[in-house]
Amino acid sequence: MTPEVSIIIPVHNEGFRLRETIEAIAQTADVPYEVVVVDDVSTDGCCDSLNGVRLLRLNHPAGVAGARNAGAAAALAPILLFLDGHCYPE
């Protein structure tokens, strides 16, 4: 199924909070979506065991704006939603 929304999450060393954010999205989303995690050269392994997301790993630090732009370029849906890796939607 084609996603209606691409949820783009730029991350840099978000630790366990990233997994909690992705779990909160799964529990609350009510439209077809994809999660695009953009790893901005994390060193804490926060993206190493992610499942069910599209993961983009940047080779050089891009900052939050650069990571968001990379995620937007890779998104499949016509609607983009940007979310930080430590936010929990309700």
Side-chain angles (χ1 to χ4, degrees), residues 6-10 34 36-38 54 56 58 64-76 80 82:
S6 292
I7 303 170
I8 300 164
I9 306 175
E34 68 168 341
V36 180
V37 173
V38 184
R54 293 180 55 212
L56 303 176
L58 302 181
V64 67
R68 285 181 181 152
N69 288 339
L76 299 176
L80 306 180
F82 298 96

Side-chain angles (χ1 to χ4, degrees), residues 8-65:
I8 300 164
I9 306 175
V11 300
H12 179 77
N13 294 339
E14 289 293 344
F16 68 90
R17 295 177 302 240
L18 177 58
R19 274 185 244 108
E20 291 178 350
T21 296
I22 293 169
E23 289 172 9
I25 292 167
Q27 294 171 0
T28 58
D30 59 358
V31 297
Y33 69 93
E34 68 168 341
V35 174
V36 180
V37 173
V38 184
D39 183 3
D40 192 20
V41 195
S42 295
T43 59
D44 70 347
C46 64
C47 297
D48 291 347
S49 61
L50 295 180
N51 295 311
V53 304
R54 293 180 55 212
L55 177 60
L56 303 176
R57 291 189 187 262
L58 302 181
N59 294 324
H60 303 287
V64 67

Side-chain angles (χ1 to χ4, degrees), residues 75-86:
L76 299 176
I79 298 171
L80 306 180
L81 186 146
F82 298 96
L83 186 65
D84 290 333
H86 53 268

